[in-house]
Amino acid sequence: MFQKYLWLLLLCSATLLAQDNPCEYRLHGKVIDFHDAQPLALAQIYVYQLQRTFTTNDSGEYAIDDLCAGEYRLRVSHLDCDVKEFTIVINRDTKKDFLLEHHVDELDQIQVTADVHDDHESTQSSTRISKETIESYSGATLGDALNSVAGVSALKTGNSVVKPVIHGLHSSRVVLVNDGLRQQDQEWGVEHAPNIDVNTASSIEVIKGANALRYGGDAIGGTIVISPERILVKDTLMGKVILNGQSNGRGGSVSSTFSKYRDSGWYQRGTFTYKRLGDYEAPDYVLSNTGSELGAVNVATGFKKFEYGFNINYSFYQTELGILRASHIGNASDLVRSINSGQPTVIRPFTYEVNEPKQAVVHHGLRLDGYRRIAGLGKLELDYSLQFNNRQEFDIRRGENSGRASLDIDLLTQTASAFLNIDRYENTDLEVGIDGMFQINKPDASTGVRRLIPDYNSYRIGAFASWMHQPSDQWILDAGLRYDRFTIDAQKFYIQSRWEDLGYDEQFPDFEVSETGNQILTNPQLDYNLLAFTMGAKHIFNDHYDVAINLSSANRAPNASELFSDGLHHALATIELGQLDLKQERSYKLNTTFHVNKNQLDVEVNPYFNHITDFIQLIPTGIETTTRGAFPVWQYQQLDARLLGVDVSYSYDFISKKIEELSRDDLLVTIKKIARLDGHASYIYGDDLTGDQPLIDMPPAQFTNRLTWYQLGLKNFSAFVSNQTVLAQNRFPDNDYIVTVPADNGQFEDALVRISQPPSAFSLWDVGVDYAFAKAKLALTVSNVFNTRYRNYLNRQRFYADEIGTNIQLQFIYNL
């Protein structure tokens, strides 16, 4: 009897528990694409407590029945999506939609290698420099690496100061974007190299035109976007060390990079670089006082998830660059003697010391940015950055001023921006943004030398919108529009006589503030309205052929150097004169691209036309005698210009091997390259339409070809031979002038300064081998194998000395 009542009691208790916790609840909903809110069919939902998997139908719907009350852990997955886990509490029927990013691979993919035709999803002409190529330039400069791209040349002041030239345009016409930060480092000077450590880059994209409206509408020449390694969301530690040694300069560099990633989304990374070189050497003599020293640090930390994240990045760059001693002339006679003699007037024994004349530059950059993805809409990004740049230029000074900088300028720049990328529409992307900049330029008034650039504040606020649409697999259309308001407010002293001789007293009487002795204090306030647009179309015929056309227009306000320069530029030993009434430049550029990729051959042809109204150029006009001697005068002038050109790039794997492998019952076929021939060529035809003469400083026609053999004798062993041929520039304006110099008989005579004549054509050969083993790579490169004597038309020091001779570089790379 007792057992009968016990069983009855247990049955009642179970019935009561079942009534309190019934296993009849339902969890249902949809699995949808975070990107465009589309349902995801065949998504899988695994319930850990049930050890069962449920699959969505064609409408992305799922249903899980007969659930008891409690907490459940679910894993939701779909092909090409990141797997996500959720915890859900069930105490009633529940509807829950899960968001997955079906295009996560497309959004996060960064190309680290590129064929000739790099950007297949845009009408713009662009080329990406691969990670391997960047590593080969670890001990060189950013400008040297960019010179490997068709249509990009290098404007040099010696061998350490290298600026990129895109389709004949440079300095303020080329925008540099380093890890999302638009570089502000007094780029207006032709002898001001970018303050960027090339070792921080994983890829570099060169956009040839004003298409990158996100970064500004003034990139008449183009935009260079430098990107670091992609951020991984997994537990891993990565790093590498690069050691470089070179014979010419008898020095080298060391660079180390580390990255720590966690699957929680947190990460830290950093790059540290140090480089030291002594005097470079031409084939016949030492290039005295051309040594350099560089130190750079770049560190970042942040958090990354698909839905949101942030990043904090700090960069530091410090360098000291010697300026060729022979280029610092004391008078017109020195300049005539340098041009006529064919060798430097000062040749000293090799040394690592860097003396006057020299440059010393320090650059700090701080960037804070974050993003948030908005379901069914897109991605919102907020960005703030601060940059501080100090530039010092040292003249040869005596007495109490010995060792003091002749030019000492601080530039502080703050920017803030907000961008919204709307990607909810199938085959259509929209991006809108607004940004602003505030800049303070402060030259040191205690140098004892008249300031070349005055105190000024500048302000810019801009907004843009861009659109890209792919109506079919064969067509891509894109367009964009940007407006900027730019203001510059300066405080500048003019010599009273120069102010009046230039007619400024009648043209700008409102700028006059006060007079002190023979000087007049002025307050120029200049406003510019800048409008830029781009539109283009690309037709993809099939897997082998496509053609694109793009029309863009950009406006650029004159920079502070072009407006206000008024005195001796010590780094170049020239007098530079600005022009206060300069107008803004406007460019109209037509870019076309023809691309073929078939049977291991890849060819791109990029003809372009650029018409620029009110183009600003710096030209030599004569000699001016000062208390410090006689110096060449270079003056900014404005004219209408036309630039026509074509770039050709190709690669041909003329020996390759087909490899067939069986993987999971599938036959995989890959092509293994054994021998490759690649190269590029560029030609530009620049005209001064106002003066009916050629433009100054246009890059001459040039050709580069390279033959590479892979797996040469040993596995992972390769060798290459390359040639660069640069033709003489036969189209140049005649800016020669006559000066009076002392004659041998003690009298004075007139001498013609042949400052316009370009140097002769030249051809350079390079060879190299490399061997990869374990986690390391060893490379040996010999540049200018035949120790060729030559001078480069785009080197501002070509009047004084030859370029460097043979250079043997040994590089060791170790990946952690």
Side-chain angles (χ1 to χ4, degrees):
M1 180 66 66
F2 176 75
Q3 291 180 346
K4 179 179 179 180
Y5 285 112
L6 180 60
W7 281 109
L8 182 62
L9 178 62
L10 292 173
L11 179 61
C12 293
S13 299
T15 302
L16 291 173
L17 287 172
Q19 291 176 348
D20 291 339
N21 190 18
C23 293
E24 58 184 27
Y25 295 134
R26 187 181 211 220
L27 173 65
H28 65 103
K30 288 184 176 182
V31 178
I32 58 180
D33 189 338
F34 191 107
H35 178 65
D36 53 18
Q38 295 298 309
L40 297 178
L42 302 179
Q44 295 187 331
I45 303 171
Y46 178 76
V47 183
Y48 284 93
Q49 284 77 3
L50 302 180
Q51 297 185 5
R52 289 184 59 191
T53 299
F54 302 84
T55 304
T56 60
N57 60 20
D58 290 342
S59 299
E61 299 171 334
Y62 74 93
I64 305 173
D65 294 314
D66 302 326
L67 292 176
C68 299
E71 184 176 274
Y72 292 86
R73 188 159 65 97
L74 286 70
R75 184 182 72 225
V76 185
S77 61
H78 187 268
L79 183 65
D80 293 333
C81 292
D82 274 350
V83 176
K84 300 189 71 173
E85 293 196 355
F86 302 88
T87 300
I88 297 178
V89 176
I90 298 295
N91 51 29
R92 60 179 182 272
D93 287 347
T94 303
K95 181 179 180 181
K96 175 67 176 178
D97 292 339
F98 299 109
L99 302 179
L100 295 182
E101 175 47 54
H102 184 252
H103 306 286
V104 67
D105 290 338
E106 299 174 17
L107 290 174
D108 288 343
Q109 184 179 9
I110 294 179
Q111 295 171 294
V112 295
T113 60
D115 61 10
V116 174
H117 186 71
D118 183 75
D119 196 339
H120 297 271
E121 297 184 353
S122 173
T123 67
Q124 66 191 11
S125 174
S126 69
T127 302
R128 193 181 300 269
I129 304 175
S130 70
K131 180 180 178 180
E132 291 75 15
T133 301
I134 295 170
E135 287 180 345
S136 69
Y137 287 96
S138 172
T141 68
L142 175 64
D144 292 321
L146 292 167
N147 199 26
S148 65
V149 175
V152 180
S153 305
L155 181 66
K156 294 185 173 184
T157 303
N159 205 65
S160 298
V161 180
V162 185
K163 294 175 69 73
V165 181
I166 301 178
H167 287 174
L169 304 173
H170 57 83
S171 300
S172 297
R173 301 181 185 93
V174 174
V175 171
L176 277 164
V177 180
N178 185 18
D179 191 12
L181 178 67
R182 175 167 174 169
Q183 193 79 0
Q184 300 284 348
D185 53 5
Q186 304 184 50
E187 72 284 349
W188 42 263
V190 295
E191 82 297 347
H192 298 179
N195 302 148
I196 296 175
D197 177 17
V198 70
N199 292 285
T200 63
S202 176
S203 71
I204 302 174
E205 183 181 14
V206 179
I207 302 171
K208 303 170 187 176
N211 305 76
L213 297 181
R214 174 177 178 141
Y215 306 112
D218 54 349
I220 291 177
T223 304
I224 298 168
V225 181
I226 302 167
S227 303
E229 289 275 7
R230 65 174 298 190
I231 298 168
L232 305 178
V233 184
K234 66 178 183 179
D235 284 323
T236 185
L237 177 64
M238 302 171 63
K240 66 180 176 183
V241 177
I242 303 179
L243 302 175
N244 292 284
Q246 64 183 65
S247 62
N248 206 319
R250 307 182 196 180
S253 65
V254 57
S255 179
S256 62
T257 300
F258 76 88
S259 302
K260 173 61 178 175
Y261 303 105
R262 298 173 177 83
D263 58 10
S264 63
W266 289 98
Y267 64 89
Q268 296 82 36
R269 61 187 180 192
T271 300
F272 306 89
T273 300
Y274 177 77
K275 181 169 71 173
R276 178 74 183 274
L277 294 170
D279 290 335
Y280 286 105
E281 297 177 56
D284 299 319
Y285 44 78
V286 173
L287 300 170
S288 297
N289 200 51
T290 55
S292 62
E293 187 173 16
L294 179 150
V297 175
N298 189 298
V299 292
T301 185
F303 179 81
K304 179 187 178 182
K305 287 293 187 182
F306 173 73
E307 294 87 353
Y308 58 89
F310 72 90
N311 177 72
I312 302 173
N313 179 267
Y314 169 74
S315 61
F316 171 79
Y317 183 97
Q318 182 174 19
T319 185
E320 185 179 52
L321 304 170
I323 304 298
L324 180 69
R325 178 61 181 85
S327 69
H328 195 86
I329 59 174
N331 51 54
S333 299
D334 291 344
L335 181 58
V336 173
R337 189 180 306 112
S338 294
I339 293 176
N340 293 339
S341 68
Q343 70 175 26
T345 56
V346 178
I347 301 175
R348 295 171 179 167
F350 173 89
T351 180
Y352 288 100
E353 292 184 10
V354 177
N355 299 309
E356 294 82 5
K358 65 179 181 179
Q359 299 179 9
V361 181
V362 175
H363 187 84
H364 300 267
L366 176 66
R367 179 177 180 234
L368 295 82
D369 65 282
Y371 66 90
R372 176 78 186 188
R373 295 189 186 272
I374 304 171
L377 181 63
K379 181 179 180 182
L380 176 66
E381 298 177 64
L382 301 176
D383 192 297
Y384 168 80
S385 66
L386 182 147
Q387 297 178 72
F388 175 78
N389 184 271
N390 173 256
R391 165 172 289 275
Q392 294 180 314
E393 297 182 1
F394 294 82
D395 189 8
I396 299 174
R397 307 177 73 178
R398 312 245 192 272
E400 62 181 13
N401 291 322
S402 178
R404 292 180 61 187
S406 300
L407 182 73
D408 190 345
I409 302 178
D410 292 338
L411 181 68
L412 178 68
T413 306
Q414 298 184 73
T415 58
S417 59
F419 307 109
L420 177 62
N421 181 261
I422 302 171
D423 53 13
R424 62 169 298 177
Y425 304 107
E426 186 176 3
N427 300 324
T428 301
D429 277 338
L430 297 172
E431 186 175 27
V432 295
I434 185 171
D435 55 65
M437 180 199 74
F438 174 56
Q439 194 171 73
I440 301 174
N441 187 78
K442 191 73 175 176
D444 186 353
S446 65
T447 59
V449 175
R450 182 176 178 78
R451 285 171 282 182
L452 179 68
I453 304 296
D455 297 72
Y456 70 83
N457 294 346
S458 63
Y459 316 85
R460 179 180 56 80
I461 185 167
F464 79 95
S466 62
W467 166 84
M468 191 279 289
H469 178 60
Q470 189 169 359
S472 69
D473 291 339
Q474 286 76 42
W475 283 98
I476 296 175
L477 307 174
D478 59 25
L481 182 68
R482 182 179 177 102
Y483 169 77
D484 289 275
R485 172 76 171 183
F486 179 76
T487 299
I488 187 166
D489 185 348
Q491 298 280 337
K492 176 173 174 56
F493 282 98
Y494 281 90
I495 301 296
Q496 182 81 35
S497 58
R498 190 185 293 276
W499 177 262
E500 294 173 354
D501 289 343
L502 294 171
Y504 292 162
D505 56 330
E506 297 181 0
Q507 192 174 1
F508 303 108
D510 295 342
F511 292 170
E512 299 178 359
V513 176
S514 62
E515 297 182 13
T516 303
N518 66 340
Q519 296 190 92
I520 181 170
L521 176 62
T522 64
N523 180 208
Q525 297 182 13
L526 304 169
D527 298 314
Y528 302 92
N529 295 298
L530 310 174
L531 185 67
F533 70 83
T534 178
M535 62 180 68
K538 172 181 284 187
H539 183 61
I540 304 169
F541 296 94
N542 50 44
D543 292 338
H544 304 300
Y545 306 97
D546 60 75
V547 60
I549 184 170
N550 182 277
L551 174 65
S552 63
S553 178
N555 261 8
R556 185 185 72 88
N559 61 44
S561 177
E562 294 164 339
L563 290 167
F564 306 122
S565 287
D566 184 20
L568 185 61
H569 197 164
H570 298 273
L572 294 174
T574 60
I575 293 174
E576 291 186 8
L577 300 178
Q579 190 172 325
L580 195 55
D581 57 356
L582 292 175
K583 303 174 184 177
Q584 62 198 42
E585 291 180 340
R586 172 163 284 284
S587 162
Y588 300 92
K589 186 172 185 178
L590 182 66
N591 237 322
T592 54
T593 305
F594 303 93
H595 177 234
V596 178
N597 186 350
K598 189 175 183 180
N599 298 331
Q600 312 306 315
L601 174 66
D602 196 315
V603 179
E604 179 184 278
V605 181
N606 171 214
Y608 59 90
F609 167 82
N610 197 354
H611 180 84
I612 307 175
T613 59
D614 296 316
F615 180 72
I616 302 170
Q617 68 173 2
L618 182 65
I619 63 171
T621 59
I623 287 284
E624 183 172 312
T625 302
T626 71
T627 56
R628 301 180 57 79
F631 296 92
V633 177
W634 291 67
Q635 188 165 3
Y636 288 100
Q637 294 183 356
Q638 203 153 34
L639 50 93
D640 290 343
R642 179 180 60 207
L643 294 89
L644 297 166
V646 61
D647 302 330
V648 179
S649 301
Y650 76 94
S651 66
Y652 179 41
D653 296 324
F654 63 93
I655 301 179
S656 58
K657 182 179 180 181
K658 182 184 293 187
I659 300 176
E660 298 181 351
E661 295 178 334
L662 190 64
S663 176
R664 294 184 181 181
D665 299 328
D666 293 328
L667 185 63
L668 301 179
V669 179
T670 59
I671 303 297
K672 183 178 181 180
K673 57 188 178 184
I674 297 176
R676 163 176 283 200
L677 181 65
D678 62 76
H680 57 82
S682 59
Y683 173 75
I684 185 169
Y685 188 96
D687 270 333
D688 168 5
L689 300 179
T690 303
D692 192 22
Q693 61 181 347
L695 283 174
I696 193 173
D697 291 340
M698 288 293 103
Q702 51 190 298
F703 314 88
T704 299
N705 295 283
R706 176 182 172 121
L707 175 63
T708 305
W709 286 87
Y710 302 93
Q711 314 295 331
L712 190 62
L714 296 173
K715 185 179 180 180
N716 300 325
F717 181 82
S718 62
F720 78 87
V721 57
S722 68
N723 171 263
Q724 180 191 28
T725 298
V726 179
L727 303 183
Q729 178 57 276
N730 295 321
R731 301 188 72 256
F732 55 92
D734 184 1
N735 294 314
D736 295 348
Y737 51 86
I738 295 176
V739 296
T740 301
V741 298
D744 294 336
N745 58 10
Q747 303 298 314
F748 288 90
E749 63 181 7
D750 291 339
L752 179 65
V753 181
R754 300 184 181 277
I755 204 167
S756 304
Q757 185 66 41
S760 302
F762 60 88
S763 184
L764 304 177
W765 291 87
D766 300 342
V767 297
V769 295
D770 64 70
Y771 176 60
F773 56 96
K775 295 182 178 181
K777 178 181 177 181
L778 188 64
L780 177 67
T781 303
V782 183
S783 303
N784 193 0
V785 172
F786 300 109
N787 210 25
T788 302
R789 302 178 185 86
Y790 71 102
R791 299 195 182 193
N792 191 334
Y793 179 58
L794 293 184
N795 193 331
R796 292 292 293 269
Q797 292 185 351
R798 71 178 188 273
F799 307 115
Y800 313 107
D802 292 335
E803 298 285 335
I804 69 171
T806 300
N807 183 30
I808 302 173
Q809 176 180 302
L810 182 64
Q811 183 182 74
F812 176 74
I813 302 176
Y814 182 76
N815 295 293
L816 304 178

